[in-house]
Amino acid sequence: QVQLVESGGGLVQAGGSLRLSCLASGRTFSRYYMGWFHQASGKEREFVAAITRSGGSTYYAESVKGRFTISRDNAKSTVYLQMNSLKPEDTAVYYCAATPVFSGSDYYTVGLYDAWGQGTQVTVSS
């Protein structure tokens, strides 16, 4: 089982940028597909982005496409989420997650992921 720890959240003005990091422990990081989800107060956890094991393919929610970029560095056991042109509606707790399996029909599903980080708060002010 992989352990995940997010960092990089904070308070930023609308239009600004933030880079989130997720550090994984264990010896099998490269075997996992990775995802980012967010959860705003009072709402369900929602898919943000996902990346394949070697970083060759990425997937995004329509709401963040063109603004956010997911990437990974397997040598550092870290996945990143670069967040640009931030909007107040991006305000949420952001979680990274890992799954050993992946498909085009379920990568956006919370239940697919086996391990989750503790979350990091992102607040975008107007």
Side-chain angles (χ1 to χ4, degrees), residues 110-121:
V110 169
L112 177 67
Y113 293 81
D114 299 303
W116 295 83
Q118 83 288 349
T120 185
Q121 177 70 47

Side-chain angles (χ1 to χ4, degrees), residues 93-105:
V93 177
Y94 283 72
Y95 299 90
C96 66
T99 173
V101 296
F102 187 89
S103 76
S105 63

Side-chain angles (χ1 to χ4, degrees), residues 1-4 24-29 32 98 100 113-117:
Q1 185 178 18
V2 63
Q3 293 182 318
L4 307 173
S25 64
R27 302 177 180 177
T28 59
F29 178 72
Y32 286 89
Y113 293 81
D114 299 303
W116 295 83

Side-chain angles (χ1 to χ4, degrees), residues 75-122:
K76 296 181 178 179
S77 296
T78 302
V79 62
Y80 305 95
L81 185 68
Q82 179 66 48
M83 309 165 69
N84 298 327
S85 301
L86 283 161
K87 304 175 180 180
E89 51 262 46
D90 295 319
T91 295
V93 177
Y94 283 72
Y95 299 90
C96 66
T99 173
V101 296
F102 187 89
S103 76
S105 63
D106 66 0
Y107 65 86
Y108 55 86
T109 304
V110 169
L112 177 67
Y113 293 81
D114 299 303
W116 295 83
Q118 83 288 349
T120 185
Q121 177 70 47
V122 171

Side-chain angles (χ1 to χ4, degrees), residues 5-45:
V5 180
E6 302 97 333
S7 62
L11 176 64
V12 65
Q13 192 173 22
S17 297
L18 214 54
R19 189 196 195 197
L20 307 183
S21 298
C22 176
L23 177 65
S25 64
R27 302 177 180 177
T28 59
F29 178 72
S30 63
R31 298 182 183 180
Y32 286 89
Y33 301 88
M34 300 296 296
W36 285 97
F37 291 74
H38 67 190
Q39 186 168 19
S41 295
K43 301 192 70 176
E44 295 294 312
R45 193 167 300 185

Side-chain angles (χ1 to χ4, degrees), residues 49-52 55-60 69-71 102:
I51 189 166
T52 52
S57 296
T58 57
Y59 305 84
Y60 298 94
T69 302
I70 187 172
S71 62
F102 187 89

